[in-house]
Amino acid sequence: MFGCAGCGAVLTAAVSRVALPIHLIDTHWETLHPPLLEAGSYALDPAPYGPPWRQWDEVEPDEAAARGYFASVGALSDGPSDTVLLAPGDTRGTRLILERAEGYCMGIDGRDGPNLACVDCDLPVGTRMDDCGCWQVVRLVPQAVVRLPGPPERPVMDWPELLATGALWHRLSKFQDIPAGVALAHVVAAAKGAPVEVAPGPLAKLLGPALGTLLPAGKGALRLDLAGPGFGEPSADLVLVPVHPQTGDIWKPSSGALPVPMDAALWSELAFPPHQTRLPVVGGLPPGTERDDPLPPHPWYPFQPSEYAFRNTLARMPAVREPWLRALYDRGY
């Protein structure tokens, strides 16, 4: 549990640490988002966050690199690092600072800095965000909170347990273009400019068109496939492997293939897609029953990995300084 550094009051429910969700890197514009984190969990964001902000041309290259950025991203925060992220429903004993409750249209976007105060002593302790285009999240200021005694955190599950319990699935799957953009950046960097041949199936549909745009075609292509727990290790040069949702560690292949990290939930959707059939159910519907549920909506445009997540991920890689990769970063797809 976390408490107020000013008076010691309890500020959160009991929570267990998880890896920083990859979806944090991007959002969908003018869309109401669910909570970024599941109830009962928290994550630490090592990147500075919040005002004041500085434009990229005001920051020295070495200072930007120390913050983990190696290419222009517009503006950098001078706010605190290691903010504590948790679901808004896990907060306790806080009140909204009304003069800092600005937003775009449907909620609060945190533009004015910490907007939550401790009810007992009025110390600003965190920032709530829930506007459209924002993940619903509370960021606790590390200097304003302390850890309090509480129940033990949930034990770390091994890969077989994650698969057996369904813990790799989550309800953010409709935002899968974001982790797809992150994975695309890691594949492109790992390929080092060589052609990539994607294994047929769901993976080819997810990343194939974008890789065909970004990388050259020709002989000597690197084979890209999935590998991981319960799936096996097919013969490939590059293998997309899941990132443990609690620890952030990647699954390690035993073969000589180069592992490329991918969000575990997206990986599991590709490795174990739900079985769907177009055959009618034997016998049809019972007499007198009318089917009135609508058909699932047809997508308006082909799936495309998030270009913003792709570029933002590349910007955090030292390899983006290499001319060939910097050219892809500047060009996009």
Side-chain angles (χ1 to χ4, degrees), residues 85-329:
L85 279 64
L86 65 160
D90 280 334
T91 57
R92 305 286 188 270
T94 61
R95 67 168 182 84
L96 194 64
I97 303 174
L98 295 180
E99 56 270 23
R100 297 183 182 179
E102 294 293 329
Y104 173 66
C105 66
M106 294 185 181
I108 308 166
D109 61 11
R111 67 181 64 184
D112 298 318
N115 55 29
L116 291 178
C118 172
V119 168
D120 290 353
C121 70
D122 281 340
L123 177 70
V125 294
T127 304
R128 173 165 180 158
M129 300 174 62
D130 56 16
D131 204 350
C132 68
C134 297
W135 293 107
Q136 291 188 41
V137 71
V138 167
R139 288 179 176 265
L140 297 179
V141 180
Q143 295 82 5
V145 297
V146 294
R147 293 176 182 266
L148 299 177
E153 294 194 23
R154 291 192 297 266
V156 175
M157 291 187 281
D158 57 21
W159 287 108
E161 188 177 3
L162 286 171
L163 288 173
T165 59
L168 294 185
W169 179 89
H170 60 56
R171 54 194 165 72
L172 303 181
S173 59
K174 75 173 185 176
F175 298 93
Q176 67 175 208
D177 61 308
I178 298 172
V182 175
L184 177 65
H186 285 290
V187 171
V188 168
K192 297 183 178 180
V196 171
E197 175 190 354
V198 187
L203 181 58
K205 294 180 180 179
L206 187 85
L207 299 181
L211 286 171
T213 300
L214 292 166
L215 296 176
K219 297 181 179 179
L222 301 174
R223 172 80 170 180
L224 175 68
D225 207 339
L226 299 172
F231 185 82
E233 298 185 44
S235 177
D237 302 292
L238 306 174
V239 288
L240 283 160
V241 298
V243 176
H244 197 289
Q246 290 177 287
T247 67
D249 297 330
I250 69 169
W251 185 85
K252 299 292 182 63
S254 58
S255 66
L258 180 64
V260 180
M262 173 178 266
D263 174 68
L266 179 57
W267 179 90
S268 64
E269 290 184 13
L270 297 174
F272 309 107
H275 177 70
Q276 296 179 339
T277 176
R278 296 183 179 181
L279 296 176
V281 176
V282 176
L285 295 173
T289 303
E290 296 182 0
R291 190 184 186 103
D292 59 358
D293 52 309
L295 293 173
H298 188 76
W300 291 3
Y301 45 82
F303 175 84
Q304 183 174 356
S306 165
E307 184 173 358
Y308 180 85
F310 168 77
R311 298 183 75 251
N312 199 293
T313 303
L314 286 183
R316 301 186 186 198
M317 296 181 180
V320 77
R321 292 170 168 171
E322 299 178 18
W324 74 271
L325 192 54
R326 182 54 190 258
L328 292 183
Y329 173 83

Side-chain angles (χ1 to χ4, degrees), residues 68-87:
Y69 286 97
F70 305 92
S72 172
V73 290
L76 288 177
S77 167
D78 270 341
S81 304
D82 295 320
T83 50
V84 180
L85 279 64
L86 65 160

